[in-house]
Amino acid sequence: MAERTRIIEGTWNCTSCDARNILARHRSCPSCNNPREETGQESEFDFGEADATTGKSLGEGVTDEKALSAAQAGADWFCDYCSASNRGDSPICRNCRAERSSTSRALAEEPEEPIEAPRPRRSAPVPPPATQGSGRKWLYVGLGLLTVFGSCMYWGSRTHGVTGQVTTTEWTRTIHRETFQRVSREGWRSDLSVRSSRMPVNGTGEVAGVENIRACFPRQRGTRQVADGTERVCSTKTRREQCGTTEKCTRKKMGNGYMKETCRDEPKYCSKSYQDCDTRTRYRSEPVYDVSCTYDTYVWQPVDKKVESGHDCAPRWPALEPGPLDRLRREEKYAVRIGYEDGDTQEHVHEPKSEAEFLTWKKGQSVPLEVNNFGSAEIVAGDAVR
């Protein structure tokens, strides 16, 4: 794309008489006639503001032939004898007529960032970095919360010993009586296989069996997906397309109070919605049928139960006699209640897993406990007084 160039003239401030905004073409101050030197920031030029979007200078470009010639003369150099600034193409100091030497200092050209190449897609915006103070603040907050949590857990886990006493022992025993009964069930004919039943002996060895398959009829067992032509399916998407141009400029300091500005037009991209369509197979749900039948089989059915419980005594099973086709299923539950003083009266419930363990506990016996600050108690293993 075609480039457009302009020469922008900078300004400087005299440190001798405090005159300000002197055009770069003046190598001596118009007010006090002192030559512009490298010291005192006199050779640090102000080129004005630039548009934040395009980078283009808001000032006017130079059209004067003498100024354009000065801009093209190269970087200024400073006399070793009087420190005055001189055109880059001048071999003799304009102020004291001394010749330019190899040790004469010169300003350097300072190119700014080049124009960026156009991007086909917009990158995700980068979130502003968190300030150091903000990050440190949240770090301190997190460390504070962690310290408080850790202190609470440490305090709560600290334990101390107390001596409790068994206040009561409790037990509950239940016997369930189940009988092997003939029932009717429904099933899919393809899953049924005739098999003879066998009755249990002393509650074991039974076979449920599948007998007397009857009353078979078709019934829907499920559905299946069947192709039913095609359909056009569309979705809305977006893409980046060129929608004109935008001007982008870069500026290059020429080391002599002038700056070269280069501008060019770059493609501008916009988001555009469009329909993305595709032809897909359409499906419909179709019922799937199978043959359902009624059949006879045997299952265990609960018919009765007895419960017995007690306190501070040996456990016993309730009396329940099984029939020839019955079986008995037993359940048992034990609890030992231990009272102790820890600020106020507390209770810890221990649940033995077996009758043998339950029978080792007696009402009134002492039990060493370990209690934490959260109020949770544990029996000290092996130390209970039996």
Side-chain angles (χ1 to χ4, degrees):
M1 295 183 181
E3 294 184 343
R4 301 175 294 278
T5 61
R6 291 195 306 165
I7 300 297
I8 307 298
E9 186 174 7
T11 61
W12 60 282
N13 300 325
C14 179
T15 58
S16 299
C17 68
D18 204 26
R20 307 184 68 80
N21 299 323
I22 305 170
L23 290 174
R25 67 187 68 185
H26 300 297
R27 299 184 180 277
S28 296
C29 175
S31 298
C32 66
N33 204 37
N34 279 341
R36 173 170 60 81
E37 300 179 354
E38 185 180 14
T39 59
Q41 298 182 339
E42 288 186 344
S43 292
E44 294 184 8
F45 300 97
D46 182 8
F47 295 98
E49 297 182 355
D51 183 87
T53 303
T54 64
K56 187 173 183 178
S57 175
L58 300 181
E60 296 291 334
V62 173
T63 57
D64 180 77
E65 291 296 334
K66 289 185 178 180
L68 292 174
S69 173
Q72 300 300 327
D76 285 357
W77 62 276
F78 298 90
C79 179
D80 291 335
Y81 297 96
C82 68
S83 301
S85 64
N86 296 275
R87 283 175 56 123
D89 58 358
S90 174
I92 298 175
C93 176
R94 64 178 177 81
N95 188 50
C96 68
R97 311 305 295 173
E99 291 187 357
R100 181 177 183 176
S101 68
S102 60
T103 59
S104 298
R105 288 181 52 79
L107 292 177
E109 295 185 357
E110 300 177 5
E112 295 191 354
E113 294 184 0
I115 301 174
E116 295 184 356
R119 298 179 181 179
R121 294 185 180 273
R122 181 181 301 172
S123 59
V126 179
T131 62
Q132 183 177 3
S134 175
R136 187 173 298 172
K137 171 186 174 182
W138 287 111
L139 175 61
Y140 290 153
V141 171
L143 289 175
L145 293 175
L146 185 61
T147 301
V148 171
F149 177 76
S151 299
C152 291
M153 293 302 296
Y154 173 75
W155 174 86
S157 62
R158 296 189 64 180
T159 60
H160 55 279
V162 299
T163 300
Q165 190 176 57
V166 176
T167 58
T168 185
T169 60
E170 303 172 352
W171 56 270
T172 301
R173 283 184 166 179
T174 306
I175 291 183
H176 300 268
R177 184 166 66 88
E178 300 174 341
T179 188
F180 201 53
Q181 292 183 348
R182 188 181 184 92
V183 295
S184 295
R185 293 284 189 265
E186 286 188 3
W188 300 108
R189 185 65 182 87
S190 56
D191 298 335
L192 298 177
S193 178
V194 176
R195 184 173 52 174
S196 298
S197 302
R198 184 171 65 231
M199 296 300 102
V201 177
N202 296 325
T204 61
E206 73 280 358
V207 175
V210 175
E211 301 175 345
N212 192 22
I213 298 176
R214 62 196 183 277
C216 298
F217 64 95
R219 185 161 63 90
Q220 184 176 342
R221 187 170 184 174
T223 59
R224 62 181 176 182
Q225 296 295 304
V226 180
D228 186 25
T230 59
E231 60 182 352
R232 188 170 177 81
V233 179
C234 298
S235 60
T236 301
K237 296 183 178 180
T238 59
R239 62 188 171 203
R240 305 279 290 171
E241 290 187 355
Q242 185 174 346
C243 54
T245 59
T246 182
E247 187 177 42
K248 292 293 183 181
C249 301
T250 186
R251 307 192 296 177
K252 176 182 178 182
K253 297 177 182 178
M254 304 176 73
N256 52 21
Y258 295 90
M259 181 173 63
K260 182 179 180 182
E261 178 186 78
T262 304
C263 299
R264 70 182 183 188
D265 293 327
E266 293 185 351
K268 181 173 67 174
Y269 292 90
C270 304
S271 295
K272 183 178 180 181
S273 299
Y274 69 98
Q275 293 292 310
D276 184 20
C277 299
D278 189 18
T279 300
R280 302 177 185 175
T281 302
R282 183 176 62 241
Y283 292 90
R284 72 174 188 273
S285 294
E286 194 173 80
V288 176
Y289 291 92
D290 201 349
V291 176
S292 176
C293 300
T294 300
Y295 65 96
D296 294 334
T297 187
Y298 284 84
V299 296
W300 287 108
Q301 297 272 48
V303 293
D304 194 9
K305 75 173 182 179
K306 282 192 176 181
V307 180
E308 192 159 342
S309 60
H311 299 268
D312 306 321
C313 61
R316 57 185 178 273
W317 289 105
L320 187 61
E321 291 297 328
L325 299 180
D326 293 344
R327 68 179 180 185
L328 300 181
R329 182 167 55 85
R330 301 170 182 264
E331 291 179 357
E332 53 189 328
K333 185 176 182 181
Y334 305 102
V336 177
R337 298 187 178 275
I338 304 169
Y340 63 94
E341 296 291 331
D342 188 34
D344 56 359
T345 302
Q346 305 284 341
E347 184 180 70
H348 173 68
V349 179
H350 174 63
E351 296 182 351
K353 303 301 181 183
S354 66
E355 178 183 2
E357 181 187 353
F358 174 74
L359 291 175
T360 64
W361 295 93
K362 304 297 180 183
K363 182 178 180 179
Q365 76 183 52
S366 297
V367 183
L369 299 172
E370 197 172 68
V371 183
N372 63 29
N373 288 333
F374 287 140
S376 177
E378 290 185 3
I379 298 172
V380 179
D383 291 339
V385 178
R386 302 295 188 206

